[in-house]
Amino acid sequence: ERDLHQWQMLLSRDADSRANAVNKWLELQFNELEALANNASLRLYLTEMLQEHSSSSTPTPSPRSSSNQDNSYQTVYLRNLITLTAQTRRYNAETESVIKASIPSKIAAGIAILDKQRKPIVQTASMPALDGALATFVNRVIPAGKAISDIYADVNNQPAIAFAVPIFAIQADPKPENQLGMIIGTKPVDSSLFSILREPGATEKTLETMLVSVDHVNNALFYLSPLKDGTPPISKMIDATNKNIASVFASAHPGRFDIKHDYNYERLLCD
């Protein structure tokens, strides 16, 4: 019983530590996009663009249409600004797995500025289309709020994640009525996140921390991170009603300790 208690203490410490590490990683992503959204020039030029389009009968040109692309100085500045951010903050279309495999990739990641109607105004060349899981995420962002998506499969079937932060008018309170639009950032999820799931200095070979997501509508649990048995991220799903599986139990009862089975039906301790 003493050994069991020691294992419980170890698992609780590891779970808390890794949760804090993941939260810090997420906070860093938000901070990067919020710094972009708070850029004074971005807010000024976006305000000018929106005012010009609202006073004109000409619709806002599609950022993907080369024949009808808006090349005003505001658009050029904003496009260059978000492209630089995408390149330096890994909001680009190159994932580790695609590079290593030397497989040409489709557009998979990028940054876009959306208006209040959630239509793209300016975006990077690698920004994916707002459809599928990404469209669902964008439509669920509340006015004046920031949001994060689940890890999802992009067009290359690689793990990706999306963030949304609001853009407010200059010298205005952060309220829905003062919102100019939002910034959407999508990026590949790779070792920058997955590597921090392993507790630094941990020597227990069987110790495993993972990210999961539960689809309550379809009673499915998805493993979002790579597994110790070599399973790639977002490629394994199990029945979310099977409470004998550790990941199902832990997701339903955070912080509770018990003896369950792993995804390969081997007995283990979980927290």
Side-chain angles (χ1 to χ4, degrees):
E1 187 171 336
R2 179 179 297 179
D3 288 344
L4 195 61
H5 178 70
Q6 289 177 342
W7 273 108
Q8 182 176 5
M9 295 291 290
L10 172 66
L11 290 178
S12 295
R13 181 203 67 190
D14 180 74
D16 290 342
S17 172
R18 294 309 85 206
N20 289 334
V22 170
N23 285 334
K24 288 181 179 179
W25 185 88
L26 295 174
E27 182 179 1
L28 176 61
Q29 316 311 308
F30 275 124
N31 288 344
E32 292 171 351
L33 289 185
E34 285 178 330
L36 181 61
N38 290 330
N39 181 290
S41 296
L42 181 149
R43 296 160 77 181
L44 174 62
Y45 289 163
L46 181 58
T47 299
E48 292 178 355
M49 289 178 65
L50 294 175
Q51 289 175 344
E52 289 176 5
H53 290 306
S54 65
S55 60
S56 171
S57 59
T58 304
T60 304
S62 168
R64 286 201 186 280
S65 173
S66 57
S67 61
N68 193 32
Q69 195 172 59
D70 183 356
N71 288 312
S72 66
Y73 71 90
Q74 300 105 322
T75 301
V76 172
Y77 176 86
L78 293 177
R79 188 183 299 122
N80 290 339
L81 178 62
I82 63 176
T83 297
L84 177 61
T85 301
Q87 293 171 344
T88 57
R89 303 303 182 189
R90 293 185 58 77
Y91 288 91
N92 51 45
E94 294 181 337
T95 64
E96 291 177 348
S97 57
V98 170
I99 293 172
K100 291 178 181 177
S102 299
I103 299 174
S105 65
K106 300 177 183 178
I107 294 175
I111 295 177
I113 298 176
L114 278 56
D115 61 19
K116 291 186 69 173
Q117 287 69 47
R118 310 186 185 214
K119 297 184 181 299
I121 300 175
V122 183
Q123 62 189 32
T124 61
S126 62
M127 182 66 189
L130 295 181
D131 53 22
L134 191 53
T136 300
F137 165 69
V138 169
N139 291 330
R140 288 178 177 174
V141 179
I142 64 173
K146 61 181 184 180
I148 176 177
S149 74
D150 272 340
I151 295 175
Y152 61 94
D154 65 17
V155 292
N156 301 304
N157 204 33
Q158 297 298 319
I161 194 168
F163 300 87
V165 297
I167 306 172
F168 296 105
I170 296 176
Q171 296 181 340
D173 293 332
K175 298 179 179 179
E177 59 266 29
N178 298 325
Q179 184 175 354
L180 300 173
M182 71 173 76
I183 292 177
I184 300 295
T186 69
K187 67 183 343 182
V189 181
D190 51 27
S191 59
S192 65
L193 173 61
F194 294 145
S195 64
I196 64 178
L197 296 179
R198 179 70 179 176
E199 180 73 27
T203 58
E204 297 81 11
K205 294 183 179 180
T206 58
L207 188 62
E208 182 174 18
T209 305
M210 63 195 70
L211 299 175
V212 300
S213 175
V214 179
D215 179 351
H216 294 286
V217 175
N218 297 305
N219 291 324
L221 181 140
F222 297 88
Y223 291 90
L224 305 179
S225 53
L227 303 178
K228 286 178 68 67
D229 67 355
T231 302
I234 60 173
S235 61
K236 189 177 186 67
M237 177 189 70
I238 63 171
D239 181 4
T241 64
N242 188 348
K243 303 301 182 182
N244 290 319
I245 301 298
S247 51
V248 174
F249 173 82
S251 62
H253 308 285
R256 283 183 56 180
F257 180 80
D258 209 333
I259 300 176
K260 297 291 181 180
H261 294 85
D262 68 5
Y263 43 82
N264 288 323
Y265 298 97
E266 296 183 6
R267 283 171 59 83
L268 49 65
L269 304 173
C270 67
D271 187 8

